[in-house]
Amino acid sequence: MPTLSRLAVIPRHIGKIKVLVLLAALSPVAGLGIDYYRDNLGFDPLDRITRSSGLVSLVLLLATLTITPLRHLLTGLMTRIHATHGKRLSDWNWLVKLRRTIGLLAFFYAAVHLLIYFWLDQGGSIEDVMLDLRERAFLAVGMLAFVMLVPLALTANNYMMARLGRNWRRLHRSVYLIAILSVAHFWMLTKVGVFAPLPYMFILTALLGWRLWYSWIPHARKMIDEGMEIPERAAGVYPVAQHENINKNPRREP
Amino acid sequence: MLRLGEKISAAEITPEAVYLERRRFMLGGAALALSALSGLGHAGCEHGNIPASSEPLTDIDAATHHNNYYEFSTDKKSVSRLAKDFNPRPWTVAVSGEVRKPKTYDIDELTRLVHPEERIYRLRCVEGWSMVVPWLGIPLCEVLRRADPTGKAKFVEFVSIKKPESMPGQRYASLSWPYTEGLRIDEAMHPLTMLVFGMYGKPLPNQNGAPLRLVVPWKYGFKSIKAIAQIRLVENQPLTSWSRSAPREYGFYANVNPAVAHPRWSQRRETRLGELSKRDTLPFNGYAEQVAPLYQGMDLVANF
Ligand code: HEM
């Protein structure tokens, strides 16, 4: 399969791919900007920009969670079709590199979302925000999600990865909780009779289900362990001791 | 059927007629006075001091394309499209219950009961947006008075049409159908409460509640029921659609009150359609002077 083998060159172009992802993810903001100048934001423009920024943040957040299962899925798929490339998890490590970009973009949109709320909805009054947080529980839940995203964004760099070692992964696992809080935020703000958060809830449930299966069932873990994802390695930071044994046992090709 | 609809637009509610009517209205509610004189021997309807509005009108496009009308869709942007083929003729409105003179009106008879008035009201949605609309209609009192309510008539229950074949939203149980609303009798008789069949000098568009809707400007928009088929005078407080579906979120009174938050929407501020910033919400949507006396001594936090 010559076409498929071309996949092997992707990692070399990771820089360009990151730029593409960045541009794609920034297009909603650009779209809102254009609509703003064309006076095309609809009849309730504040609601429109608040909601779009929140929704994009949630979508990107969920996208970061799909990276790991996606690597497993692609590895399985390539193995099944006997592709020349892509049968090892490590062939898909470049996807892990995209995860940081996507995660930071999710944070960026959450910050825009919060700023829109703070400046335009609440007129920049911290006092009013505090009152509002007490009045409307969905805001407190959204705020908690945002506050929890801050340390993740601050440590999404090679330096912090190396410094935190194994604690980095522990810290970043909180993204699952953040995603749960975000979907809860969405449900809580959705009016009776509307089910807009449903698809996001399904996707999150599937991702959480996969994660639980992956980390709790010993045999499943063993099957996958050989190519266990090492974000530190993917990011180019060399692994801490606990991962050494994995590197010594690269998956053998059949 | 369509012919009737056209007739009303051409003959009854031309913009000039509206304009003239407005002049007349501003000159002291002459139309109301006249209709009160032609009353049926019962106490006439009060004129009240209908506040004049100096606020800029909401863009007609916004007011007719941003609709909360679950009978068609829960998506405000889709309602106008989905309501396009709804036929508001023929239409009857039954006035019944605790009345001595129940009557079923043909819609075109009802709209000519007294001379229509144009009134510019603010309408505040519970979701935190609002608009300023020139409505065309008659005081509800005129209809209730003619029905001659008995002493047992303490509340008025309004029931919308149920027609799932042309109202696609009714095929889902997003609310209990038909949509039901209610007012206390004194609220219903209040001079600000209107039965509306036109807006912006034109017949009421389908998406805004054709052929007949209620407008109660000091209450959240969901009280202003659309496509009214029945008006019943009753002894007990009716169970309204929204109170039935979420009793802790939507009270019977639903007076605009910045001090009582809804779990999802702050009621302290609101967005005028088309604006990017918010403004303060006023108690009773700015109609406190006219309606606050109705609620004297009542706990408006408990009776939200
Ligand atoms: C990780 C953080 C957050 C995420 C992922 C998030 C996500 C969302 C989503 C998906 C929506 C609904 C979008 C739609 O209807 O299409 C939304 C709406 C909203 N969010 Fe957030 N949100 C977050 C944090 C916050 C914070 C910190 C606040 C403010 C304190 C906030 C305030 C709002 C408001 C006011 C709305 C609109 C509600 C309405 O229009 O009725 N969110 N958010």
Side-chain angles (χ1 to χ4, degrees):
Chain A
M1 290 222 167
T3 32
L4 284 171
S5 70
R6 283 198 200 129
L7 287 170
V9 306
I10 290 180
R12 268 184 269 145
H13 298 287
I14 191 68
K16 285 172 214 155
I17 293 174
K18 274 189 191 170
V19 171
L20 284 180
V21 167
L22 194 73
L23 289 177
L26 287 177
S27 63
V29 141
L32 287 178
I34 292 169
D35 280 345
Y36 175 75
Y37 278 107
R38 285 195 182 163
D39 202 9
N40 197 20
L41 280 175
F43 301 119
D44 194 345
L46 178 55
D47 191 69
R48 165 93 191 279
I49 59 176
T50 310
R51 283 174 176 269
S52 354
S53 54
L55 195 62
V56 175
S57 177
L58 176 60
V59 167
L60 293 172
L61 215 47
L62 294 177
T64 63
L65 298 182
T66 59
I67 300 282
T68 297
L70 188 65
R71 287 169 70 233
H72 289 283
L73 188 81
L74 289 169
T75 306
L77 195 73
M78 292 303 165
T79 308
R80 189 141 310 165
I81 64 172
H82 305 295
T84 52
H85 178 83
K87 287 178 289 195
R88 288 171 308 168
L89 266 184
S90 58
D91 290 340
W92 301 104
N93 271 356
W94 59 273
L95 279 171
V96 180
K97 296 189 192 179
L98 289 183
R99 183 164 57 192
R100 179 189 288 173
T101 313
I102 299 172
L104 285 170
L105 282 161
F107 176 73
F108 166 76
Y109 275 97
V112 168
H113 182 61
L114 177 57
L115 281 176
I116 290 171
Y117 166 79
F118 179 64
W119 282 117
L120 297 173
D121 198 306
Q122 298 297 306
S125 157
I126 296 198
E127 205 179 306
D128 284 354
V129 172
M130 298 315 269
L131 196 63
D132 212 14
L133 289 181
R134 255 174 286 143
E135 275 182 356
R136 304 194 279 167
F138 86 84
L139 290 174
V141 171
M143 195 55 109
L144 182 59
F146 181 79
V147 167
M148 288 177 70
L149 263 184
V150 174
L152 304 198
L154 291 178
T155 57
N157 50 66
N158 295 348
Y159 173 74
M160 288 311 280
M161 256 177 174
R163 269 205 68 169
L164 292 175
R166 60 194 306 170
N167 286 330
W168 187 91
R169 304 184 96 199
R170 288 196 187 136
L171 176 66
H172 280 251
R173 224 165 266 160
S174 65
V175 72
Y176 285 97
L177 186 55
I178 294 170
I180 293 171
L181 290 171
S182 302
V183 171
H185 169 71
F186 197 178
W187 270 121
M188 291 168 80
L189 66 87
T190 300
K191 53 188 183 172
V192 180
V194 178
F195 301 93
L198 208 56
Y200 307 95
M201 193 187 70
F202 277 142
I203 292 168
L204 179 61
T205 310
L207 291 169
L208 285 172
W210 185 86
R211 184 80 221 184
L212 290 178
W213 173 79
Y214 170 72
S215 53
W216 281 358
I217 299 179
H219 92 98
R221 195 190 181 117
K222 197 152 174 274
M223 264 166 38
I224 294 160
D225 244 3
E226 299 169 61
M228 199 165 104
E229 135 186 354
I230 302 162
E232 295 86 340
R233 182 175 65 188
V237 179
Y238 235 65
V240 272
Q242 43 160 342
H243 294 131
E244 227 95 276
N245 56 332
I246 297 161
N247 291 327
K248 279 186 208 133
N249 293 311
R251 187 173 171 146
R252 299 266 173 264
E253 293 303 312
Chain B
M1 288 192 259
L2 250 173
R3 204 180 48 82
L4 278 166
E6 279 159 8
K7 195 163 128 203
I8 214 177
S9 70
E12 282 286 274
I13 347 181
T14 58
E16 297 95 304
V18 168
Y19 175 71
L20 287 173
E21 190 46 48
R22 184 141 109 212
R23 301 296 310 163
R24 202 157 145 197
F25 171 57
M26 288 194 294
L27 287 170
L32 266 177
L34 275 174
S35 61
L37 284 176
S38 70
L40 303 168
H42 304 284
C45 287
E46 265 181 76
H47 309 171
N49 62 338
I50 313 297
S53 168
S54 56
E55 288 172 276
L57 297 183
T58 296
D59 178 31
I60 182 169
D61 210 30
T64 55
H65 292 87
H66 187 85
N67 310 98
N68 254 332
Y69 199 173
Y70 278 30
E71 278 84 341
F72 291 102
S73 171
T74 53
D75 172 25
K76 291 186 273 290
K77 287 194 289 280
S78 304
V79 171
S80 53
R81 178 174 48 82
L82 292 168
K84 217 165 44 208
D85 298 325
F86 179 77
N87 188 356
R89 296 285 188 290
W91 195 278
T92 57
V93 181
V95 184
S96 64
E98 294 295 342
V99 292
R100 291 185 194 91
K101 294 177 187 156
K103 178 169 169 138
T104 297
Y105 289 92
D106 181 80
I107 183 69
D108 296 308
E109 182 187 359
L110 190 68
T111 57
R112 282 167 211 168
L113 204 58
V114 291
H115 209 91
E117 289 174 41
E118 188 183 60
R119 290 194 196 162
I120 297 170
Y121 282 160
R122 292 175 289 276
L123 186 76
R124 166 64 157 81
C125 178
V126 70
E127 294 175 6
W129 53 271
S130 61
M131 49 188 186
V132 182
V133 175
W135 301 110
L136 192 72
I138 61 175
L140 172 63
C141 170
E142 294 291 349
V143 176
L144 299 183
R145 185 173 63 87
R146 281 171 174 75
D148 196 3
T150 71
K152 279 190 181 165
K154 301 280 194 325
F155 293 90
V156 184
E157 180 181 53
F158 302 86
V159 184
S160 287
I161 195 84
K162 185 174 175 181
K163 232 178 171 185
E165 25 348 318
S166 52
M167 296 178 130
Q170 284 184 341
R171 293 171 212 158
Y172 308 95
S174 48
L175 281 174
S176 60
W177 310 117
Y179 192 81
T180 305
E181 256 308 336
L183 293 174
R184 218 168 56 188
I185 188 82
D186 56 341
E187 299 175 323
M189 299 295 271
H190 193 279
L192 285 189
T193 305
M194 278 182 103
L195 274 179
V196 161
F197 40 82
M199 65 195 280
Y200 295 88
K202 293 181 196 143
L204 197 62
N206 289 342
Q207 66 267 30
N208 292 81
L212 189 72
R213 69 174 293 169
L214 190 68
V215 173
V216 195
W218 72 93
K219 293 178 180 280
Y220 294 120
F222 66 87
K223 295 297 288 183
S224 292
I225 183 171
K226 303 184 180 88
I228 299 170
Q230 292 179 58
I231 300 175
R232 280 203 285 258
L233 287 95
V234 293
E235 190 170 7
N236 299 312
Q237 183 175 302
L239 182 57
T240 65
S241 286
W242 277 111
S243 299
R244 185 197 296 251
S245 92
R248 271 171 303 173
E249 296 181 18
Y250 307 96
F252 175 78
Y253 285 93
N255 292 319
V256 174
N257 188 348
V260 179
H262 180 277
R264 286 187 295 281
W265 302 292
S266 167
Q267 303 302 13
R268 278 178 285 122
R269 273 189 284 267
E270 68 198 57
T271 315
R272 267 300 140 75
L273 289 189
E275 292 179 4
L276 197 54
S277 58
K278 294 200 158 181
R279 61 179 70 210
D280 286 342
T281 289
L282 302 172
F284 298 108
N285 200 21
Y287 300 99
E289 195 192 321
Q290 288 80 21
V291 301
L294 295 174
Y295 309 101
Q296 235 148 35
M298 237 176 101
D299 178 352
L300 292 173
V301 174
N303 297 287
F304 60 93

